Amino acid sequence: MRKPIIAGNWKMNNTIAEAQKLIGELKPLVADAAAEVVICVPYTAIQKAAELTAGSNIAVGAENVAWADKGAFTGEISAAMLKEVGATYVIIGHSERRQMFGETDETVRARTAQALKNGLKPIVCVGELLSERESGKTEEVVRRQTEGAFAGLTAADMENVVIAYEPVWAIGTGKTATAEQANETIAYIRSVVKNMFGAQVANALRIQYGGSMNPANATALMAQPDIDGGLIGGASLKAEDFAKVVKY
Ligand code: PGA
């Protein structure tokens, strides 16, 4: 019922030239994929990526978006700017933004609302730190982040939202949550969305797992009933690896 969605998060990797090479390798490998395929790329590579993937089954996304339309926000980028160069998705509230760049539940909420208002589809990241998991606070943390991100939205807005559950301790560490752990927390996040927006919205919402997802563990993760896709960092930088995850 929910179409799986596998998204690459390139982070601060790949110049335009490097992007061109990677997309050239990737396109034929994923052309027959059953899952929806997205690559979220650095701002400078969006336009080229959109050109190169036009007419293909690969959508292009950004890695952040400002909460305001325009104005005095040095270093930020607007939804209109992203749309103009061909982005259709945008990652919001990635743990690296929360940890290193002061992103809060409130800025995540404001950016998400702005993306939706402008027709960009947000991939909203939530997830607990290792210390939070070890002290039994995983559910409390993901509930606070989920309620914070989607406060004030409508059921219709939620049709265009994707959530990525990324336990922070599993990102870039090679430590994956077990498929059961990931599914358990994702099912909990779905229950939080159900409380906010009702069963229909919760059942239709796609929730990805992210954190060291790779060709070796994708099959087991995707076999879980509540896991609807992946947000892939490291393994999205190699065409063959990313294609294997896409075709889990
Ligand atoms: P990783 O990153 O796959 O390299 O762990 C995932 C992410 O940060 O989105």
Side-chain angles (χ1 to χ4, degrees):
M1 185 187 85
R2 298 185 292 263
K3 182 171 181 173
I5 175 168
I6 308 288
N9 173 13
W10 287 8
K11 310 192 179 185
M12 197 173 72
N13 294 293
N14 292 328
T15 61
I16 294 173
E18 289 162 344
Q20 186 156 7
K21 181 167 178 286
L22 178 51
I23 291 167
E25 292 166 1
L26 183 63
K27 247 166 68 170
L29 296 177
V30 301
D32 59 344
E36 186 174 346
V37 185
V38 183
I39 51 172
C40 296
V41 309
Y43 300 131
T44 47
I46 292 174
Q47 184 160 16
K48 178 59 85 181
E51 275 168 34
L52 293 169
T53 56
S56 80
N57 62 331
I58 303 175
V60 176
E63 300 174 15
N64 201 0
V65 62
W67 56 75
D69 289 337
K70 55 155 66 173
F73 297 93
T74 304
E76 289 283 312
I77 194 152
S78 77
M81 293 167 186
L82 296 176
K83 285 187 71 182
E84 184 181 39
V85 289
T88 55
Y89 279 90
V90 58
I91 296 171
I92 296 175
H94 191 277
S95 64
E96 285 150 19
R97 303 259 5 133
R98 293 179 191 259
Q99 288 190 289
M100 291 186 274
F101 302 100
E103 208 75 65
T104 65
D105 291 339
E106 173 50 24
T107 60
V108 171
R109 185 203 62 73
R111 292 182 197 278
T112 301
Q114 178 72 354
L116 288 165
K117 187 181 106 184
N118 288 277
L120 284 170
K121 296 177 189 168
I123 298 174
V124 178
C125 304
V126 300
E128 80 288 0
L129 305 170
L130 183 58
S131 58
E132 292 166 336
R133 176 161 285 266
E134 285 174 343
S135 57
K137 292 199 177 124
T138 298
E139 293 195 347
E140 180 186 324
V141 169
V142 298
R143 173 164 41 80
R144 193 201 71 225
Q145 292 173 334
T146 303
E147 291 176 347
F150 305 125
L153 296 185
T154 65
D157 288 328
M158 292 303 290
E159 285 174 20
N160 292 310
V161 168
V162 175
I163 296 179
Y165 166 58
E166 302 201 303
V168 178
W169 47 272
I171 295 178
T173 57
K175 275 190 205 169
T176 334
T178 66
E180 290 75 17
Q181 273 175 332
N183 190 69
E184 184 182 45
T185 307
I186 287 175
Y188 176 73
I189 293 167
R190 200 179 297 287
S191 77
V192 173
V193 172
K194 184 177 167 193
N195 284 338
M196 294 178 78
F197 297 101
Q200 206 175 329
V201 167
N203 290 336
L205 177 74
R206 294 181 295 178
I207 309 181
Q208 301 171 315
Y209 168 77
S212 300
M213 190 161 164
N214 59 46
N217 58 31
T219 313
L221 286 160
M222 291 302 293
Q224 293 290 326
D226 273 289
I227 302 182
D228 306 316
L231 185 57
I232 318 300
S236 74
L237 299 175
K238 287 202 190 121
E240 270 181 30
D241 285 354
F242 187 59
K244 281 184 190 153
V245 176
V246 165
K247 297 181 169 179
Y248 53 92

